[in-house]
Every structure is written in structure tokens, then in C-alpha cells.
Amino acid sequence: MELKKVIPIGLTTLFLMTGCMDNDTATNEREDIKNQLDPNGQLQAPTDESAENKLGYVRYTKDEIDNDNENNRSISIDRTEMANMITRIMLRGNSFEEVATLVTDEEVLIAYEKSVDINSEKAAEIAKKTATSIMPGYFDVHVTDNTNLIDDIQSLHNSRTTDGDYDNTIDNIIKEMNQPAKNTNE
């Protein structure tokens, strides 16, 4: 076989193999994101079943709290668990078909697809009350039935509160959430 014919065939084969590998990589990346976003993947059974049913109680004196160790203690919440709780509670009823919830250090953003059996105002009220009943009072809660924003919220799932890069995106999503809905299924 002539060398001029072998080189193009070899290059074509190489390009096809590379294209297939890139497709496999993209598929694997999509699967990784899907697995990261699967709420069931993060659920862990409590190590002590009785601890889940136990009442929460603590008691301290002022002297116990006024020490250096306590001054260095930080209080934090598990934002993923909070988003998980809000989303699951909303989906337990018949008002929502799909819910995406993002909890930042200051806001809760909820985008959802509502059921046809509920009007937009009632769905928004349920979503907002669910979030405010779970989150500390200083969180601003924003809700929308604009299902296009579900993907926008999802795009921030790997962001951290220490990264200032996502603030502009959050602000844009909130502005979009506050726009009147163009299509509603009342």
C-alpha cells in the first residue's frame, strides 16, 4: 500500500478514536454530576437509631461559656442538608413535581415545577414557608416557578461561600426570580 494512502487512513482512525474518548469523558462527567446531585447518595443511616428519636437538650452556666475555648468555637450549619430538607419536604405533598434548592451563606433560592393542581401564588407561599420554617431568620428566601432557573441554580452546586465568584451569578438568578412569570399553568 502506498504511504500517501496509509497516512490519511491512520489520521482518520486516530481522530475517530479521540472523538470517542472525548464523548466517553463527557458522559462520565455528566454521570459524576448526576451522582453528586442525587439526594439519596448523601443520605447516611444514623449510627445510633435511638439518637434520631432522642430529644435535644443541653444546659450550661455562664461560667462554662465564658472561656477561651468557647470564644474560638464557631457555629455552622450544613447547607447541603438544609437544601435537602427543604426540597424533600416540598416534594412530599402533591404541589410540586421537581424542586431545586440552593442554600448560600445569606440566601435560599428555590426553583420548582409546580403541579397543575395548584396556582402560582399558593405554590410560592408553600415554598417560602417551607424554607423559612427550616432556616434561621436572617436568610432571605427567593422562590420561583420558572423551571428554566433550575439549571442555573444547579450550576452553582459546587460553589463555596469563600469563593466570591458566584455572587454575580446569584444576583442575576435572584433578579430573574423576581421577574413576573411569562407562562403560568394556573
Side-chain angles (χ1 to χ4, degrees):
M1 197 177 249
E2 205 176 298
L3 186 60
K4 289 181 181 179
K5 291 181 181 177
V6 173
I7 291 176
I9 293 172
L11 287 174
T12 302
T13 304
L14 180 65
F15 286 133
L16 286 174
M17 289 174 51
T18 304
C20 290
M21 285 190 297
D22 286 344
N23 191 27
D24 288 343
T25 302
T27 302
N28 289 340
E29 287 175 4
R30 280 193 298 274
E31 284 298 316
D32 288 346
I33 290 172
K34 182 180 172 187
N35 290 338
Q36 285 176 1
L37 298 176
D38 181 10
N40 294 322
Q42 295 179 356
L43 295 179
Q44 297 175 349
T47 55
D48 180 8
E49 288 293 328
S50 65
E52 190 169 299
N53 298 322
K54 195 173 178 186
L55 300 179
Y57 171 78
V58 296
R59 179 178 178 177
Y60 295 109
T61 65
K62 182 73 172 154
D63 292 336
E64 291 172 314
I65 297 298
D66 285 339
N67 63 44
D68 288 336
N69 289 340
E70 187 61 32
N71 290 336
N72 294 327
R73 183 182 181 97
S74 66
I75 298 172
S76 64
I77 61 171
D78 183 339
R79 291 177 184 86
T80 302
E81 185 57 32
M82 295 291 126
N84 191 20
M85 278 195 287
I86 292 167
T87 303
R88 287 176 173 278
I89 289 171
M90 288 177 62
L91 288 171
R92 283 185 179 161
N94 295 326
S95 301
F96 303 97
E97 299 298 322
E98 182 178 7
V99 179
T101 305
L102 179 73
V103 176
T104 72
D105 54 346
E106 299 173 349
E107 289 108 7
V108 177
L109 281 65
I110 305 171
Y112 53 84
E113 177 186 348
K114 67 179 189 62
S115 297
V116 294
D117 301 336
I118 189 168
N119 68 42
S120 295
E121 292 80 22
K122 185 67 175 172
E125 179 184 347
I126 291 170
K128 193 162 195 137
K129 282 183 176 181
T130 301
T132 56
S133 70
I134 293 171
M135 299 303 297
Y138 63 87
F139 278 83
D140 292 325
V141 178
H142 306 275
V143 301
T144 184
D145 62 356
N146 181 346
T147 55
N148 295 327
L149 294 177
I150 290 174
D151 290 334
D152 292 346
I153 289 173
Q154 178 182 328
S155 72
L156 296 169
H157 77 279
N158 278 332
S159 298
R160 298 186 175 283
T161 58
T162 54
D163 301 336
D165 300 340
Y166 74 90
D167 285 338
N168 191 36
T169 305
I170 293 282
D171 292 341
N172 288 334
I173 292 172
I174 291 171
K175 284 178 190 171
E176 189 70 27
M177 290 175 118
N178 292 331
Q179 302 259 334
K182 293 177 178 98
N183 283 338
T184 57
N185 298 329
E186 304 257 358

Short mmCIF file of all heavy atoms in Angstrom, two decimals, residues 9-71:
data_model
loop_
_atom_site.label_atom_id
_atom_site.label_comp_id
_atom_site.label_asym_id
_atom_site.label_seq_id
_atom_site.Cartn_x
_atom_site.Cartn_y
_atom_site.Cartn_z
N ILE A 9 -5.55 7.45 6.27
CA ILE A 9 -6.36 6.43 6.95
C ILE A 9 -5.97 6.36 8.42
O ILE A 9 -6.83 6.30 9.30
CB ILE A 9 -6.20 5.06 6.25
CG1 ILE A 9 -6.83 5.10 4.86
CG2 ILE A 9 -6.83 3.96 7.09
CD1 ILE A 9 -6.56 3.87 4.02
N GLY A 10 -4.69 6.43 8.71
CA GLY A 10 -4.21 6.39 10.10
C GLY A 10 -4.67 7.62 10.88
O GLY A 10 -5.09 7.52 12.03
N LEU A 11 -4.58 8.80 10.26
CA LEU A 11 -5.03 10.03 10.94
C LEU A 11 -6.54 10.01 11.18
O LEU A 11 -7.00 10.42 12.25
CB LEU A 11 -4.64 11.25 10.11
CG LEU A 11 -3.16 11.62 10.11
CD1 LEU A 11 -2.90 12.76 9.15
CD2 LEU A 11 -2.70 11.98 11.50
N THR A 12 -7.30 9.52 10.21
CA THR A 12 -8.75 9.43 10.38
C THR A 12 -9.09 8.51 11.54
O THR A 12 -9.94 8.82 12.38
CB THR A 12 -9.40 8.92 9.08
OG1 THR A 12 -9.05 9.81 8.00
CG2 THR A 12 -10.91 8.85 9.21
N THR A 13 -8.43 7.37 11.60
CA THR A 13 -8.65 6.43 12.70
C THR A 13 -8.31 7.07 14.04
O THR A 13 -9.04 6.93 15.02
CB THR A 13 -7.81 5.15 12.49
OG1 THR A 13 -8.13 4.60 11.21
CG2 THR A 13 -8.09 4.13 13.58
N LEU A 14 -7.20 7.79 14.09
CA LEU A 14 -6.78 8.46 15.32
C LEU A 14 -7.81 9.50 15.76
O LEU A 14 -8.18 9.57 16.94
CB LEU A 14 -5.41 9.12 15.12
CG LEU A 14 -4.84 9.87 16.32
CD1 LEU A 14 -4.56 8.89 17.45
CD2 LEU A 14 -3.58 10.60 15.93
N PHE A 15 -8.32 10.30 14.82
CA PHE A 15 -9.33 11.31 15.15
C PHE A 15 -10.62 10.67 15.64
O PHE A 15 -11.24 11.15 16.58
CB PHE A 15 -9.62 12.21 13.95
CG PHE A 15 -8.52 13.19 13.64
CD1 PHE A 15 -8.07 13.36 12.35
CD2 PHE A 15 -7.92 13.95 14.64
CE1 PHE A 15 -7.06 14.25 12.05
CE2 PHE A 15 -6.92 14.85 14.35
CZ PHE A 15 -6.48 15.00 13.05
N LEU A 16 -11.03 9.58 15.02
CA LEU A 16 -12.24 8.90 15.45
C LEU A 16 -12.09 8.34 16.86
O LEU A 16 -12.99 8.44 17.68
CB LEU A 16 -12.60 7.77 14.48
CG LEU A 16 -13.19 8.20 13.13
CD1 LEU A 16 -13.37 7.00 12.23
CD2 LEU A 16 -14.52 8.90 13.35
N MET A 17 -10.94 7.77 17.16
CA MET A 17 -10.70 7.22 18.50
C MET A 17 -10.68 8.34 19.53
O MET A 17 -11.24 8.20 20.62
CB MET A 17 -9.39 6.43 18.52
CG MET A 17 -9.48 5.12 17.76
SD MET A 17 -7.91 4.24 17.64
CE MET A 17 -7.37 4.19 19.32
N THR A 18 -10.06 9.47 19.19
CA THR A 18 -10.00 10.60 20.11
C THR A 18 -11.40 11.15 20.36
O THR A 18 -11.76 11.46 21.49
CB THR A 18 -9.09 11.70 19.54
OG1 THR A 18 -7.81 11.15 19.27
CG2 THR A 18 -8.95 12.85 20.51
N GLY A 19 -12.19 11.26 19.31
CA GLY A 19 -13.57 11.75 19.45
C GLY A 19 -14.39 10.85 20.34
O GLY A 19 -15.17 11.32 21.17
N CYS A 20 -14.24 9.56 20.21
CA CYS A 20 -14.97 8.61 21.06
C CYS A 20 -14.53 8.73 22.50
O CYS A 20 -15.33 8.65 23.41
CB CYS A 20 -14.78 7.18 20.56
SG CYS A 20 -15.62 6.87 18.98
N MET A 21 -13.23 8.92 22.72
CA MET A 21 -12.74 9.06 24.09
C MET A 21 -13.29 10.34 24.71
O MET A 21 -13.67 10.35 25.87
CB MET A 21 -11.20 9.06 24.12
CG MET A 21 -10.60 7.69 23.90
SD MET A 21 -8.83 7.63 24.21
CE MET A 21 -8.20 8.73 22.98
N ASP A 22 -13.35 11.44 23.95
CA ASP A 22 -13.91 12.68 24.48
C ASP A 22 -15.38 12.52 24.82
O ASP A 22 -15.86 13.04 25.81
CB ASP A 22 -13.73 13.83 23.47
CG ASP A 22 -12.28 14.31 23.40
OD1 ASP A 22 -11.51 13.97 24.32
OD2 ASP A 22 -11.94 15.01 22.42
N ASN A 23 -16.11 11.78 24.00
CA ASN A 23 -17.51 11.52 24.26
C ASN A 23 -17.67 10.71 25.54
O ASN A 23 -18.54 10.98 26.35
CB ASN A 23 -18.14 10.80 23.07
CG ASN A 23 -19.65 10.75 23.18
OD1 ASN A 23 -20.25 11.62 23.80
ND2 ASN A 23 -20.25 9.73 22.59
N ASP A 24 -16.81 9.70 25.73
CA ASP A 24 -16.85 8.91 26.97
C ASP A 24 -16.53 9.79 28.17
O ASP A 24 -17.14 9.66 29.23
CB ASP A 24 -15.85 7.74 26.90
CG ASP A 24 -16.31 6.65 25.94
OD1 ASP A 24 -17.51 6.63 25.59
OD2 ASP A 24 -15.46 5.83 25.54
N THR A 25 -15.57 10.70 28.03
CA THR A 25 -15.21 11.60 29.12
C THR A 25 -16.39 12.50 29.47
O THR A 25 -16.71 12.69 30.64
CB THR A 25 -13.98 12.45 28.73
OG1 THR A 25 -12.90 11.58 28.41
CG2 THR A 25 -13.57 13.37 29.86
N ALA A 26 -17.05 13.05 28.46
CA ALA A 26 -18.21 13.91 28.70
C ALA A 26 -19.33 13.12 29.38
O ALA A 26 -19.98 13.61 30.30
CB ALA A 26 -18.70 14.51 27.39
N THR A 27 -19.54 11.88 28.94
CA THR A 27 -20.57 11.03 29.55
C THR A 27 -20.22 10.76 31.00
O THR A 27 -21.09 10.83 31.88
CB THR A 27 -20.71 9.71 28.77
OG1 THR A 27 -21.05 10.02 27.41
CG2 THR A 27 -21.76 8.81 29.38
N ASN A 28 -18.97 10.45 31.27
CA ASN A 28 -18.54 10.20 32.65
C ASN A 28 -18.71 11.44 33.51
O ASN A 28 -19.12 11.33 34.68
CB ASN A 28 -17.08 9.72 32.68
CG ASN A 28 -16.94 8.31 32.13
OD1 ASN A 28 -17.90 7.55 32.06
ND2 ASN A 28 -15.72 7.97 31.71
N GLU A 29 -18.39 12.62 32.98
CA GLU A 29 -18.56 13.86 33.73
C GLU A 29 -20.03 14.10 34.06
O GLU A 29 -20.37 14.51 35.16
CB GLU A 29 -17.99 15.05 32.97
CG GLU A 29 -16.48 15.08 32.95
CD GLU A 29 -15.91 16.20 32.09
OE1 GLU A 29 -16.71 17.01 31.55
OE2 GLU A 29 -14.69 16.26 31.96
N ARG A 30 -20.92 13.84 33.07
CA ARG A 30 -22.36 14.00 33.33
C ARG A 30 -22.82 13.03 34.42
O ARG A 30 -23.62 13.39 35.28
CB ARG A 30 -23.16 13.77 32.04
CG ARG A 30 -23.18 14.98 31.12
CD ARG A 30 -24.22 14.81 30.02
NE ARG A 30 -23.97 13.69 29.15
CZ ARG A 30 -23.20 13.72 28.07
NH1 ARG A 30 -22.58 14.81 27.74
NH2 ARG A 30 -23.04 12.65 27.32
N GLU A 31 -22.33 11.81 34.38
CA GLU A 31 -22.70 10.83 35.41
C GLU A 31 -22.19 11.26 36.78
O GLU A 31 -22.88 11.10 37.78
CB GLU A 31 -22.16 9.44 35.05
CG GLU A 31 -22.94 8.74 33.97
CD GLU A 31 -24.38 8.45 34.36
OE1 GLU A 31 -24.63 8.00 35.50
OE2 GLU A 31 -25.26 8.73 33.54
N ASP A 32 -20.97 11.81 36.84
CA ASP A 32 -20.42 12.28 38.11
C ASP A 32 -21.28 13.40 38.69
O ASP A 32 -21.58 13.40 39.89
CB ASP A 32 -18.98 12.78 37.94
CG ASP A 32 -17.98 11.65 37.73
OD1 ASP A 32 -18.36 10.48 37.98
OD2 ASP A 32 -16.85 11.93 37.29
N ILE A 33 -21.69 14.35 37.85
CA ILE A 33 -22.55 15.44 38.32
C ILE A 33 -23.89 14.89 38.77
O ILE A 33 -24.41 15.28 39.82
CB ILE A 33 -22.73 16.51 37.22
CG1 ILE A 33 -21.42 17.27 37.01
CG2 ILE A 33 -23.86 17.47 37.57
CD1 ILE A 33 -21.43 18.21 35.84
N LYS A 34 -24.45 13.96 38.01
CA LYS A 34 -25.73 13.36 38.38
C LYS A 34 -25.61 12.67 39.74
O LYS A 34 -26.49 12.81 40.59
CB LYS A 34 -26.16 12.36 37.31
CG LYS A 34 -27.49 11.71 37.57
CD LYS A 34 -27.83 10.74 36.45
CE LYS A 34 -29.06 9.94 36.81
NZ LYS A 34 -29.32 8.89 35.84
N ASN A 35 -24.51 11.94 39.96
CA ASN A 35 -24.31 11.27 41.24
C ASN A 35 -24.12 12.26 42.38
O ASN A 35 -24.60 12.04 43.49
CB ASN A 35 -23.13 10.31 41.16
CG ASN A 35 -23.42 9.11 40.28
OD1 ASN A 35 -24.57 8.76 40.07
ND2 ASN A 35 -22.37 8.51 39.75
N GLN A 36 -23.41 13.36 42.12
CA GLN A 36 -23.21 14.38 43.16
C GLN A 36 -24.53 15.02 43.56
O GLN A 36 -24.72 15.38 44.71
CB GLN A 36 -22.28 15.49 42.66
CG GLN A 36 -20.85 15.12 42.58
CD GLN A 36 -20.02 16.26 41.99
OE1 GLN A 36 -20.53 17.31 41.65
NE2 GLN A 36 -18.73 16.02 41.86
N LEU A 37 -25.42 15.19 42.60
CA LEU A 37 -26.68 15.86 42.87
C LEU A 37 -27.78 14.94 43.35
O LEU A 37 -28.87 15.39 43.68
CB LEU A 37 -27.15 16.60 41.60
CG LEU A 37 -26.20 17.69 41.12
CD1 LEU A 37 -26.71 18.28 39.82
CD2 LEU A 37 -26.05 18.77 42.17
N ASP A 38 -27.54 13.65 43.40
CA ASP A 38 -28.53 12.69 43.85
C ASP A 38 -28.70 12.81 45.36
O ASP A 38 -27.78 12.49 46.12
CB ASP A 38 -28.09 11.26 43.48
CG ASP A 38 -29.10 10.22 43.92
OD1 ASP A 38 -30.22 10.58 44.34
OD2 ASP A 38 -28.75 9.02 43.84
N PRO A 39 -29.86 13.29 45.83
CA PRO A 39 -30.04 13.45 47.28
C PRO A 39 -29.91 12.14 48.04
O PRO A 39 -29.49 12.13 49.19
CB PRO A 39 -31.47 13.99 47.40
CG PRO A 39 -31.85 14.46 46.06
CD PRO A 39 -31.00 13.70 45.08
N ASN A 40 -30.24 11.02 47.42
CA ASN A 40 -30.13 9.73 48.11
C ASN A 40 -28.69 9.33 48.34
O ASN A 40 -28.39 8.57 49.25
CB ASN A 40 -30.86 8.64 47.32
CG ASN A 40 -32.34 8.87 47.29
OD1 ASN A 40 -32.93 9.32 48.27
ND2 ASN A 40 -32.94 8.61 46.15
N GLY A 41 -27.78 9.80 47.51
CA GLY A 41 -26.37 9.44 47.64
C GLY A 41 -25.73 10.03 48.87
O GLY A 41 -24.75 9.53 49.38
N GLN A 42 -26.29 11.12 49.38
CA GLN A 42 -25.70 11.77 50.54
C GLN A 42 -26.33 11.32 51.85
O GLN A 42 -25.84 11.66 52.92
CB GLN A 42 -25.84 13.29 50.41
CG GLN A 42 -25.05 13.82 49.25
CD GLN A 42 -25.21 15.32 49.11
OE1 GLN A 42 -25.98 15.94 49.83
NE2 GLN A 42 -24.49 15.90 48.18
N LEU A 43 -27.44 10.62 51.77
CA LEU A 43 -28.10 10.19 52.99
C LEU A 43 -27.34 9.04 53.63
O LEU A 43 -26.94 8.10 52.96
CB LEU A 43 -29.53 9.75 52.70
CG LEU A 43 -30.47 10.85 52.21
CD1 LEU A 43 -31.84 10.26 51.94
CD2 LEU A 43 -30.57 11.95 53.23
N GLN A 44 -27.14 9.16 54.91
CA GLN A 44 -26.48 8.10 55.65
C GLN A 44 -27.38 7.70 56.80
O GLN A 44 -28.00 8.54 57.44
CB GLN A 44 -25.14 8.57 56.20
CG GLN A 44 -24.15 8.95 55.13
CD GLN A 44 -22.88 9.53 55.73
OE1 GLN A 44 -22.82 9.84 56.90
NE2 GLN A 44 -21.87 9.67 54.91
N ALA A 45 -27.44 6.42 57.05
CA ALA A 45 -28.22 5.95 58.19
C ALA A 45 -27.54 6.39 59.47
O ALA A 45 -26.32 6.38 59.57
CB ALA A 45 -28.33 4.42 58.14
N PRO A 46 -28.33 6.84 60.44
CA PRO A 46 -27.71 7.25 61.71
C PRO A 46 -26.97 6.07 62.33
O PRO A 46 -27.42 4.93 62.25
CB PRO A 46 -28.89 7.67 62.58
CG PRO A 46 -30.09 7.68 61.71
CD PRO A 46 -29.76 6.98 60.44
N THR A 47 -25.84 6.36 62.97
CA THR A 47 -25.06 5.30 63.59
C THR A 47 -25.80 4.71 64.78
O THR A 47 -25.65 3.55 65.09
CB THR A 47 -23.68 5.81 64.04
OG1 THR A 47 -23.86 6.94 64.89
CG2 THR A 47 -22.84 6.21 62.83
N ASP A 48 -26.60 5.52 65.43
CA ASP A 48 -27.37 5.06 66.58
C ASP A 48 -28.83 5.42 66.31
O ASP A 48 -29.22 6.58 66.37
CB ASP A 48 -26.87 5.73 67.86
CG ASP A 48 -27.62 5.29 69.09
OD1 ASP A 48 -28.45 4.36 69.00
OD2 ASP A 48 -27.39 5.90 70.16
N GLU A 49 -29.65 4.42 65.98
CA GLU A 49 -31.04 4.67 65.63
C GLU A 49 -31.79 5.40 66.75
O GLU A 49 -32.64 6.23 66.49
CB GLU A 49 -31.76 3.35 65.31
CG GLU A 49 -31.35 2.72 64.00
CD GLU A 49 -31.76 3.53 62.78
OE1 GLU A 49 -32.81 4.20 62.82
OE2 GLU A 49 -31.03 3.50 61.79
N SER A 50 -31.46 5.11 67.99
CA SER A 50 -32.17 5.76 69.09
C SER A 50 -31.82 7.24 69.18
O SER A 50 -32.60 8.04 69.69
CB SER A 50 -31.87 5.05 70.41
OG SER A 50 -30.50 5.19 70.73
N ALA A 51 -30.66 7.65 68.69
CA ALA A 51 -30.27 9.05 68.73
C ALA A 51 -31.18 9.91 67.85
O ALA A 51 -31.41 11.08 68.15
CB ALA A 51 -28.82 9.21 68.30
N GLU A 52 -31.71 9.34 66.79
CA GLU A 52 -32.58 10.10 65.90
C GLU A 52 -33.92 10.42 66.57
O GLU A 52 -34.55 11.41 66.27
CB GLU A 52 -32.81 9.32 64.61
CG GLU A 52 -33.50 10.16 63.56
CD GLU A 52 -33.48 9.49 62.21
OE1 GLU A 52 -32.39 9.25 61.69
OE2 GLU A 52 -34.57 9.21 61.70
N ASN A 53 -34.35 9.59 67.49
CA ASN A 53 -35.62 9.78 68.17
C ASN A 53 -35.48 10.50 69.50
O ASN A 53 -36.47 10.77 70.17
CB ASN A 53 -36.30 8.43 68.40
CG ASN A 53 -36.61 7.75 67.08
OD1 ASN A 53 -37.00 8.41 66.13
ND2 ASN A 53 -36.41 6.46 67.03
N LYS A 54 -34.27 10.80 69.87
CA LYS A 54 -33.99 11.40 71.17
C LYS A 54 -34.24 12.90 71.13
O LYS A 54 -33.99 13.56 70.13
CB LYS A 54 -32.52 11.12 71.52
CG LYS A 54 -32.16 11.35 72.94
CD LYS A 54 -30.74 10.88 73.20
CE LYS A 54 -30.37 11.17 74.63
NZ LYS A 54 -28.99 10.88 74.89
N LEU A 55 -34.73 13.45 72.24
CA LEU A 55 -34.91 14.89 72.35
C LEU A 55 -33.55 15.56 72.47
O LEU A 55 -32.60 14.99 73.01
CB LEU A 55 -35.75 15.23 73.57
CG LEU A 55 -37.16 14.63 73.61
CD1 LEU A 55 -37.87 15.03 74.89
CD2 LEU A 55 -37.96 15.06 72.39
N GLY A 56 -33.46 16.80 71.99
CA GLY A 56 -32.21 17.55 72.11
C GLY A 56 -32.24 18.42 73.36
O GLY A 56 -33.18 19.18 73.57
N TYR A 57 -31.24 18.31 74.19
CA TYR A 57 -31.20 19.10 75.42
C TYR A 57 -29.76 19.38 75.81
O TYR A 57 -28.90 18.50 75.73
CB TYR A 57 -31.87 18.34 76.57
CG TYR A 57 -31.69 19.01 77.91
CD1 TYR A 57 -32.45 20.10 78.26
CD2 TYR A 57 -30.72 18.57 78.80
CE1 TYR A 57 -32.27 20.74 79.47
CE2 TYR A 57 -30.54 19.19 80.02
CZ TYR A 57 -31.32 20.29 80.35
OH TYR A 57 -31.13 20.91 81.55
N VAL A 58 -29.50 20.62 76.22
CA VAL A 58 -28.21 20.99 76.80
C VAL A 58 -28.47 21.99 77.92
O VAL A 58 -29.50 22.67 77.95
CB VAL A 58 -27.22 21.61 75.78
CG1 VAL A 58 -26.84 20.61 74.71
CG2 VAL A 58 -27.79 22.86 75.16
N ARG A 59 -27.50 22.08 78.84
CA ARG A 59 -27.58 23.06 79.92
C ARG A 59 -26.17 23.50 80.26
O ARG A 59 -25.28 22.67 80.45
CB ARG A 59 -28.24 22.43 81.15
CG ARG A 59 -28.34 23.38 82.31
CD ARG A 59 -29.02 22.73 83.48
NE ARG A 59 -29.07 23.64 84.61
CZ ARG A 59 -29.66 23.35 85.74
NH1 ARG A 59 -30.27 22.18 85.89
NH2 ARG A 59 -29.67 24.22 86.72
N TYR A 60 -25.97 24.82 80.31
CA TYR A 60 -24.68 25.40 80.66
C TYR A 60 -24.88 26.52 81.65
O TYR A 60 -25.97 27.09 81.77
CB TYR A 60 -23.98 26.00 79.42
CG TYR A 60 -23.61 25.02 78.36
CD1 TYR A 60 -24.30 24.98 77.15
CD2 TYR A 60 -22.56 24.13 78.54
CE1 TYR A 60 -23.96 24.09 76.15
CE2 TYR A 60 -22.21 23.23 77.54
CZ TYR A 60 -22.92 23.22 76.36
OH TYR A 60 -22.56 22.33 75.37
N THR A 61 -23.82 26.85 82.34
CA THR A 61 -23.81 28.06 83.16
C THR A 61 -23.01 29.11 82.42
O THR A 61 -22.23 28.80 81.49
CB THR A 61 -23.16 27.80 84.53
OG1 THR A 61 -21.78 27.49 84.34
CG2 THR A 61 -23.87 26.68 85.29
N LYS A 62 -23.15 30.34 82.82
CA LYS A 62 -22.41 31.44 82.20
C LYS A 62 -20.91 31.21 82.33
O LYS A 62 -20.16 31.48 81.39
CB LYS A 62 -22.82 32.77 82.85
CG LYS A 62 -22.18 33.98 82.28
CD LYS A 62 -22.77 34.29 80.92
CE LYS A 62 -22.24 35.64 80.47
NZ LYS A 62 -22.22 35.79 79.06
N ASP A 63 -20.45 30.69 83.44
CA ASP A 63 -19.02 30.42 83.64
C ASP A 63 -18.49 29.39 82.65
O ASP A 63 -17.35 29.47 82.21
CB ASP A 63 -18.76 29.95 85.08
CG ASP A 63 -18.99 31.06 86.10
OD1 ASP A 63 -18.91 32.25 85.70
OD2 ASP A 63 -19.27 30.73 87.26
N GLU A 64 -19.31 28.41 82.31
CA GLU A 64 -18.88 27.39 81.36
C GLU A 64 -18.72 27.95 79.95
O GLU A 64 -17.88 27.50 79.18
CB GLU A 64 -19.89 26.23 81.33
CG GLU A 64 -19.89 25.41 82.60
CD GLU A 64 -21.01 24.39 82.61
OE1 GLU A 64 -22.16 24.77 82.26
OE2 GLU A 64 -20.75 23.23 82.98
N ILE A 65 -19.50 28.93 79.63
CA ILE A 65 -19.46 29.53 78.30
C ILE A 65 -18.38 30.60 78.20
O ILE A 65 -17.77 30.78 77.15
CB ILE A 65 -20.84 30.13 77.93
CG1 ILE A 65 -21.89 29.05 77.86
CG2 ILE A 65 -20.79 30.91 76.62
CD1 ILE A 65 -21.62 27.99 76.81
N ASP A 66 -18.11 31.32 79.28
CA ASP A 66 -17.11 32.39 79.26
C ASP A 66 -15.70 31.84 79.41
O ASP A 66 -15.05 32.01 80.43
CB ASP A 66 -17.38 33.40 80.38
CG ASP A 66 -18.56 34.29 80.07
OD1 ASP A 66 -18.90 34.41 78.87
OD2 ASP A 66 -19.13 34.87 81.01
N ASN A 67 -15.21 31.17 78.40
CA ASN A 67 -13.83 30.71 78.41
C ASN A 67 -13.25 30.80 77.01
O ASN A 67 -13.97 31.01 76.03
CB ASN A 67 -13.71 29.29 79.00
CG ASN A 67 -14.45 28.27 78.17
OD1 ASN A 67 -14.38 28.26 76.94
ND2 ASN A 67 -15.17 27.37 78.84
N ASP A 68 -11.95 30.65 76.89
CA ASP A 68 -11.28 30.81 75.60
C ASP A 68 -11.74 29.79 74.57
O ASP A 68 -11.88 30.11 73.39
CB ASP A 68 -9.76 30.71 75.77
CG ASP A 68 -9.18 31.93 76.46
OD1 ASP A 68 -9.83 33.01 76.39
OD2 ASP A 68 -8.10 31.83 77.06
N ASN A 69 -11.96 28.56 75.01
CA ASN A 69 -12.40 27.54 74.06
C ASN A 69 -13.74 27.91 73.43
O ASN A 69 -13.96 27.71 72.24
CB ASN A 69 -12.52 26.17 74.73
CG ASN A 69 -11.17 25.58 75.06
OD1 ASN A 69 -10.16 25.97 74.48
ND2 ASN A 69 -11.15 24.66 76.01
N GLU A 70 -14.64 28.44 74.23
CA GLU A 70 -15.95 28.82 73.70
C GLU A 70 -15.84 30.02 72.77
O GLU A 70 -16.54 30.11 71.77
CB GLU A 70 -16.91 29.14 74.86
CG GLU A 70 -18.34 29.37 74.42
CD GLU A 70 -18.96 28.17 73.73
OE1 GLU A 70 -18.63 27.02 74.08
OE2 GLU A 70 -19.79 28.38 72.84
N ASN A 71 -14.96 30.95 73.07
CA ASN A 71 -14.78 32.12 72.20
C ASN A 71 -14.24 31.73 70.83
O ASN A 71 -14.47 32.43 69.85
CB ASN A 71 -13.85 33.15 72.85
CG ASN A 71 -14.51 33.80 74.06
OD1 ASN A 71 -15.73 33.85 74.15
ND2 ASN A 71 -13.70 34.30 74.97
#
